[in-house]
Amino acid sequence: MNDNSSSAADAPKGDRIAKTLSRAGVASRREAERMIEAGRVSVNGKIIDSPALNVTETDRITVDGKLVGQPEPARLWLYHKPTGLVTSDSDEKGRKTIYDALPADMPRVMSVGRLDLNSEGLLLLTNDGGIKRMLELPSTGWLRRYRVRVNGRPTDEALEPLRKGIIADGEPFQPMEVVLDRQQGANAWLTVGLREGKNREIRRAMDEIGLSVNRLIRVSYGPFQLGDVKPGEVEEVRRKVLRDQLGPEAETLLGTAPAAPTQVKRSFKRRTPHKGDFGGPGQPGLPRPKEDSPTGKPKGKPARGKPAKSYRPPKAERDAARKAAGVAPKPRKFSSSGAKSRPPAGGKPPRKGS
């Protein structure tokens, strides 16, 4: 027991440099090892030439002179790969890659598995090498489903060798799930499910039984579905969904969740009342008194949306003014229907029609 405890204490701290670079989203582990052998990686100012080195958070790592920061929270995206794109960082033939077609605001990502040049559909992208490695392991056992269009008229008997496992070009392929969906003219649509994903596995297996694939679309990768993601579009998988699907290793792979943005609550800003004298241009409050106005009329703008009211003396004052001026009061006029139908004094109402 003492020997075991001493060996555990002597074990180097931290993680392998290739694993750290992979977790930081710089490259896959194999690519990181090639970068180290090429002399592109430095640790604490010293160029290293072997990946057999453990590093910790306190070590300063640079790649091509650029500082490698701490690993960002692990993320996963669904990408609908169109045909005509190569699934690699660069292509020796100068063909366009998926990274040339990704949105400009995407971080540095790696593909989970591959889709060949003429294949389309779901391709998983991640910024974390640990998730990439886990999802690619055959031991994960996740089923990949494809919609496959072949030229010919296959029957269930002709597809049976694929269900039992087939050898193509001397390489054995595991049994596939194959369902004949429909015949469409000279072509037939199949749904194929496999768990390995070797290079051009479906195309090579179909050639072995005399069928030529002219379209291949990946529609799912384990629990992740292509759904309504359109060609060329990218959709991020929610962290909760990713945590549920990764199982027991989720805590180790995902790490700490990113902090939620701080929400600033703004209080209601009250307007400071004007403390000067009431009235006058630009000052709130009551209008000027009538006697302060040169014209004898109250000043001040009328309330918005209401017509201005003109000043009129009470009726008693108006009658007194008329009496003093010797003007006879005006006779009252009745316009109601009751006044018209009232009979004259001492007479009878006129008959209708007379």
Side-chain angles (χ1 to χ4, degrees):
M1 293 191 58
N2 293 335
D3 294 339
N4 293 338
S5 60
S6 61
S7 61
D10 296 338
K13 298 180 180 180
D15 294 321
R16 290 283 185 173
I17 178 67
K19 179 179 179 181
T20 301
L21 293 176
S22 178
R23 292 298 305 275
V26 175
S28 64
R29 291 192 186 186
R30 293 181 181 178
E31 182 63 26
E33 291 174 355
R34 288 193 286 266
M35 295 168 68
I36 292 170
E37 293 172 356
R40 298 170 57 187
V41 182
S42 299
V43 178
N44 299 326
K46 182 180 179 180
I47 298 176
I48 61 174
D49 57 4
S50 172
L53 174 68
N54 280 34
V55 293
T56 63
E57 296 180 356
T58 59
D59 291 313
R60 189 174 185 272
I61 306 171
T62 59
V63 177
D64 297 332
K66 297 180 180 180
L67 183 65
V68 177
Q70 293 297 323
E72 296 181 356
R75 301 165 68 186
L76 187 73
W77 290 265
L78 310 177
Y79 173 52
H80 190 155
K81 175 194 172 298
T83 58
L85 298 179
V86 181
T87 311
S88 63
D89 293 332
S90 59
D91 183 64
E92 63 279 0
K93 298 181 180 179
R95 294 172 295 185
K96 193 174 181 181
T97 70
I98 60 170
Y99 302 103
D100 298 327
L102 290 177
D105 58 348
M106 283 285 292
R108 204 279 182 190
V109 294
M110 300 166 281
S111 67
V112 178
R114 291 173 178 269
L115 283 176
D116 61 44
L117 180 70
N118 296 320
S119 298
E120 57 190 295
L122 178 62
L123 185 64
L124 299 181
L125 305 174
T126 180
N127 66 337
D128 186 272
I131 289 183
K132 169 182 168 66
R133 181 172 179 273
M134 175 189 172
L135 299 185
E136 289 180 342
L137 286 175
S139 59
T140 305
W142 276 351
L143 186 71
R144 291 91 152 164
R145 291 193 181 277
Y146 299 80
R147 294 275 292 143
V148 183
R149 188 178 67 187
V150 296
N151 182 254
R153 296 181 176 275
T155 61
D156 280 336
E157 291 76 15
L159 299 174
E160 193 61 26
L162 302 179
R163 302 186 181 109
K164 294 180 178 180
I166 194 171
I167 298 177
D169 301 329
E171 184 175 7
F173 293 151
Q174 290 185 3
M176 305 178 184
E177 296 181 7
V178 185
V179 177
L180 176 60
D181 295 328
R182 70 178 187 275
Q183 186 74 36
Q184 189 176 21
N187 297 317
W189 278 99
L190 312 174
T191 298
V192 179
L194 50 87
R195 299 183 185 275
E196 274 190 313
K198 294 180 180 179
N199 183 32
R200 297 175 58 85
E201 181 173 353
I202 294 179
R203 296 180 187 275
R204 293 161 61 191
M206 293 294 173
D207 286 340
E208 191 67 23
I209 62 173
L211 296 175
S212 175
V213 176
N214 50 39
R215 191 173 183 186
L216 191 148
I217 310 168
R218 182 193 280 167
V219 294
S220 68
Y221 192 108
F224 305 107
Q225 308 288 327
L226 180 62
D228 297 329
V229 182
K230 298 179 180 179
E233 289 186 348
V234 180
E235 181 178 300
E236 184 171 3
V237 179
R238 292 186 299 172
R239 186 178 179 87
K240 182 181 182 302
V241 175
L242 187 57
R243 184 179 296 276
D244 293 341
Q245 299 300 335
L246 293 183
E249 299 185 21
E251 295 295 334
T252 304
L253 292 174
L254 296 181
T256 307
T262 304
Q263 295 183 355
V264 180
K265 293 185 178 181
R266 303 183 181 275
S267 59
F268 177 73
K269 186 177 180 181
R270 296 182 178 276
R271 296 184 62 181
T272 305
H274 184 75
K275 295 184 179 180
D277 297 333
F278 287 120
Q283 295 185 8
L286 299 176
R288 285 183 179 178
K290 174 184 173 183
E291 56 272 11
D292 293 343
S293 175
T295 58
K297 295 182 180 180
K299 283 192 173 181
K301 294 183 179 180
R304 184 175 296 180
K306 295 182 180 181
K309 294 183 178 180
S310 60
Y311 176 75
R312 186 182 185 190
K315 184 176 182 300
E317 293 183 13
R318 298 199 304 271
D319 292 343
R322 289 194 187 97
K323 187 175 182 181
V327 179
K330 295 181 179 180
R332 296 181 64 182
K333 295 181 179 180
F334 298 93
S335 58
S336 62
S337 58
K340 294 179 180 180
S341 60
R342 187 178 302 161
K348 294 181 179 180
R351 294 181 180 181
K352 294 182 180 180
S354 60

